[in-house]
Amino acid sequence: MSLIELLWPAFGLALLLVFIHAIFGLEIIRRGVIFTDLAIGQIAAVGMAISAAFFDGMYQTPLTLLFALLAAIVIAISSRRVAHIEAFIGLLYALGISSIMLILAQSSEGMELFNRLNAADILFTMPEDLLWASALYAAIAAVMFFLYPKTSGLGKEILFFSALALTVTSSVQSAGVLVVFALLIAPAYAALVQRRFKPLFFAWGFGSVSMSAALGISYLYDLPTGYTIIFCVVGIALVFVLSKSKDWNKKEV
């Protein structure tokens, strides 16, 4: 099997992950609820932990979706009723991560499973996984581009967080909680501190280049793919944001 045959599904999945998460990342930063995705991802991972600990990996997708939707609905309702919503979301994240540790505590492979939930290896993605992700993310993107702008009030909140929950359900299983967080925030953050290009297009380009570099480095140096993605995407974003801070300071002066 050639290198291209081996890696093209992983590269395709990486681009899909960048595509869908940039859409949500820009909205999350604009809303000022940065840790929403991390909390939903962590609660979704509780479903994965239950599947691994009690059902030998069966029912993983429905359990993950159930917990992701539960977290999304709680956050959607709380965002309109709770003061200091970021503190509430932070506590929800802490509840999720502690629940996972308690669920996996009795498993001999507990820490290995925990690491996989945080940052998975996408290098050996199968073509059928890529096909499923393409169909799902295309449907979610259509909802966000065409239906979401036409809604309002609580219905708009529930639609946004439910679509985010569906996205997280798939991406957490494919890439892990921390990878999802990095892809949601880093490209969108970099896109919003520049003024030259449209934020969504810039986020797509920035994320694609960063992910491609991460996959190449991971493969060449035999490094954990998930954590390499986090390091590259977040590291490049931080350097870019710091470089742009000079421009922002000049405009303020």
Side-chain angles (χ1 to χ4, degrees):
M1 181 180 289
S2 69
L3 182 60
I4 294 177
E5 289 176 323
L6 179 66
L7 293 183
W8 78 262
F11 184 74
L13 179 61
L15 295 183
L16 282 175
L17 290 172
V18 168
F19 166 76
I20 195 65
H21 288 90
I23 298 170
F24 288 101
L26 290 168
E27 182 69 14
I28 284 171
I29 293 177
R30 287 168 178 154
R31 285 167 171 256
V33 285
I34 307 299
F35 295 105
T36 296
D37 53 299
L38 190 58
I40 292 177
Q42 199 67 68
I43 296 296
V46 172
M48 294 177 65
I50 292 174
S51 170
F54 301 112
F55 299 106
D56 295 323
M58 297 174 62
Y59 315 117
Q60 179 172 289
T61 297
L63 283 170
T64 305
L65 177 59
L66 174 64
F67 278 88
L69 286 173
L70 178 63
I73 291 171
V74 169
I75 292 174
I77 295 174
S78 301
S79 64
R80 301 173 66 86
R81 299 185 180 183
V82 174
H84 308 296
I85 186 62
E86 277 290 274
F88 181 88
I89 294 171
L91 292 177
L92 195 62
Y93 167 78
L95 179 66
I97 197 169
S98 60
S99 299
I100 291 172
M101 293 303 293
L102 291 175
I103 292 168
L104 298 179
Q106 303 303 317
S107 172
S108 58
E109 301 177 350
M111 287 311 299
E112 180 182 346
L113 288 169
F114 181 75
N115 285 330
R116 204 182 318 149
L117 291 176
N118 280 320
D121 189 346
I122 71 168
L123 269 187
F124 301 104
T125 300
M126 295 291 102
E128 54 268 26
D129 298 328
L130 182 61
L131 183 62
W132 161 249
S134 299
L136 176 64
Y137 294 155
I140 293 172
V143 168
M144 293 303 297
F145 284 132
F146 301 112
L147 181 59
Y148 176 70
K150 297 179 181 179
T151 58
S152 60
L154 181 59
K156 188 169 189 175
E157 296 295 300
I158 292 177
L159 179 62
F160 174 77
F161 287 112
S162 296
L164 178 59
L166 282 171
T167 302
V168 167
T169 297
S170 175
S171 54
V172 162
Q173 293 180 85
S174 301
V177 175
L178 297 181
V179 174
V180 168
F181 179 71
L183 291 178
L184 276 163
I185 302 303
Y189 187 22
L192 290 173
V193 301
Q194 59 84 42
R195 298 290 180 88
R196 196 172 201 181
F197 305 99
K198 290 185 177 180
L200 184 57
F201 294 153
F202 186 89
W204 283 340
F206 181 95
S208 298
V209 172
S210 302
M211 282 286 278
S212 299
L215 289 178
I217 292 171
S218 173
Y219 180 81
L220 289 174
Y221 297 100
D222 194 25
L223 296 171
T225 308
Y227 289 105
T228 304
I229 291 172
I230 297 167
F231 181 85
C232 288
V233 174
V234 172
I236 295 171
L238 289 174
V239 171
F240 182 82
V241 169
L242 286 172
S243 71
K244 284 294 179 181
S245 64
K246 295 179 182 179
D247 298 334
W248 282 89
N249 290 334
K250 288 179 182 178
K251 289 175 183 177
E252 289 179 358
V253 173

